[in-house]
Amino acid sequence: MLGRCFPPNTKEKQQLRMIKLCDPAESELSPFLITLTLAVLLAEYLTGIIANGFITAIHAAEWVQNKSVSTSGRILVFLSVSRIALQSLMMLEITISSTSLSFYSEDTVYYAFKISFIFLNFCSLWFAAWLSFFYFVKIANFSYPLFLKLRWRISGLIPWLLWLSVFISFSHSMFCINICTGYCDNSSPIHSSNSTEKTYFSEISVVSLAFFFNLGIVIPLIMFILAAILLILSLKRHTLYMGSNATGSKDPSMEAHIGAIKATSYFLIFYIFNAVALFIYLSNMFDINSLWNTLCQIIMAAYPASHSILLIKDNPGLRRAWKQLQHRLHLYPKEWTL
């Protein structure tokens, strides 16, 4: 689907794309599993849109009311908006490809989806990495001069880093699409009777395209992993120190640190799974309709929803706002019956 590259600009090649996208012979899923998969994906998309819409609304209201927003709130707004756009795009892509394949297979539509998909995914990865990095700088307890200087300047740097991430993601997505279309336009059959040679050249082309597609995943992935691991180690060290000095009663501060360790660990696991699924999906390792490709789609749809729900659960302000919203929604039916 979005991770595939087919030669454009001719009617025959567009028809070839349509055949490739809907060839039932390649599908490893029964009609029942296909329907179930679509239902699961749509449920994940809607859950993610609602959760990220809630986060965006809360911080946007704070931004408008106070004429300012916290640094973490600014990152969450960028992250949530990118995820709303991404999951809306993926839901629209599935709807169009399922109901109007001929329209979806047109070059303009197909590559518009491809560019948007890569751009929004890279933005989401970068913003999540900056959120992890910000929490690490603000919460971790290190006494290195460079770290202390970074802690003092991080709030002023974050807005610039967020917009820089948008520029990098857009540039990389345009670069990827140019590489893909350039390769497809200039590709021609290899005139050789040696099937091994043909396979070799085909594999080299796929590897080259996969390298360019996934280059944008590596840096935010490494940054997120390092920041999360260092934060966990810092919190673990501080928790052990507080445990050794505990008087026997429960310490709310230590419980908060343990909760932060668990939350950061969950974020790290979810982020790695999503990055790996995106890497496999963009690398064309499996057929379009294969079970593994479908599993990657489910993971990529589940990550923005699950991560955002955990953000609401672990953020005191968001958790309080969510409870207030639930309370108001429960009151409305009672008011209507009066």
Side-chain angles (χ1 to χ4, degrees), residues 11-304:
K11 197 69 176 177
E12 293 79 6
K13 292 172 183 176
Q14 181 181 339
Q15 292 173 352
L16 178 62
R17 181 187 298 157
M18 292 176 60
I19 294 173
K20 187 70 175 177
L21 287 169
C22 64
D23 186 6
E26 289 189 355
S27 179
E28 299 177 5
L29 303 177
S30 64
F32 171 76
L33 288 179
I34 292 175
T35 303
L36 180 61
T37 299
L38 290 176
V40 170
L41 287 173
L42 290 175
E44 291 175 337
Y45 295 150
L46 291 175
T47 302
I49 291 172
I50 293 172
N52 285 288
F54 173 78
I55 294 175
T56 302
I58 294 299
H59 287 97
E62 177 190 350
W63 207 329
V64 171
Q65 183 177 359
N66 301 330
K67 307 299 181 183
S68 63
V69 67
S70 63
T71 304
S72 61
R74 188 187 298 266
I75 302 174
L76 286 172
V77 168
F78 273 75
L79 178 60
S80 300
V81 169
S82 69
R83 286 176 170 176
I84 292 172
L86 174 61
Q87 297 208 291
S88 299
L89 174 80
M90 295 172 73
M91 186 164 60
L92 180 63
E93 186 264 345
I94 282 186
T95 303
I96 293 178
S97 63
S98 302
T99 58
S100 181
L101 188 60
S102 59
F103 174 72
Y104 174 73
S105 300
E106 293 180 3
D107 295 332
T108 304
V109 177
Y110 183 76
Y111 285 107
F113 274 113
K114 183 187 289 289
I115 293 173
S116 301
F117 177 79
I118 297 174
F119 168 68
L120 292 173
N121 260 296
F122 286 173
C123 280
S124 178
L125 290 174
W126 273 107
F127 297 154
W130 288 126
L131 182 66
S132 176
F133 182 76
F134 177 76
Y135 285 157
F136 159 67
V137 172
K138 284 296 185 180
I139 299 175
N141 186 19
F142 294 106
S143 57
Y144 301 108
L146 181 61
F147 178 82
L148 296 176
K149 185 177 181 180
L150 181 61
R151 172 179 289 180
W152 178 65
R153 299 189 58 186
I154 188 64
S155 296
L157 291 174
I158 283 295
W160 296 98
L161 294 173
L162 292 175
W163 287 112
L164 178 63
S165 301
V166 173
F167 175 76
I168 293 174
S169 299
F170 180 77
S171 300
H172 190 76
S173 62
M174 295 302 297
F175 180 71
C176 286
I177 201 66
N178 287 333
I179 290 291
C180 183
T181 54
Y183 161 74
C184 291
D185 286 336
N186 297 324
S187 61
S188 59
I190 301 171
H191 299 287
S192 172
S193 60
N194 191 336
S195 60
T196 303
E197 183 179 352
K198 292 180 182 180
T199 304
Y200 172 77
F201 278 107
S202 176
E203 290 177 353
I204 290 297
S205 300
V206 170
V207 169
S208 299
L209 289 174
F211 172 78
F212 285 113
F213 274 130
N214 292 297
L215 190 62
I217 301 175
V218 176
I219 298 177
L221 175 62
I222 293 175
M223 186 171 68
F224 188 100
I225 292 175
L226 288 178
I229 290 177
L230 289 174
L231 177 58
I232 291 172
L233 292 176
S234 177
L235 290 171
K236 186 67 176 178
R237 183 181 63 181
H238 193 62
T239 302
L240 292 175
Y241 173 78
M242 289 190 297
S244 63
N245 296 321
T247 58
S249 59
K250 289 187 177 181
D251 187 354
S253 179
M254 188 166 68
E255 291 183 358
H257 278 71
I258 295 175
I261 292 174
K262 292 181 179 179
T264 306
S265 301
Y266 293 148
F267 294 160
L268 178 60
I269 294 172
F270 289 161
Y271 192 94
I272 292 176
F273 268 90
N274 176 70
V276 172
L278 180 60
F279 181 88
I280 294 174
Y281 187 72
L282 293 179
S283 297
N284 298 328
M285 293 182 181
F286 304 102
D287 292 332
I288 298 171
N289 299 314
S290 69
L291 178 62
W292 288 107
N293 194 63
T294 302
L295 181 60
C296 289
Q297 288 181 295
I298 292 175
I299 293 174
M300 289 187 296
Y303 168 68

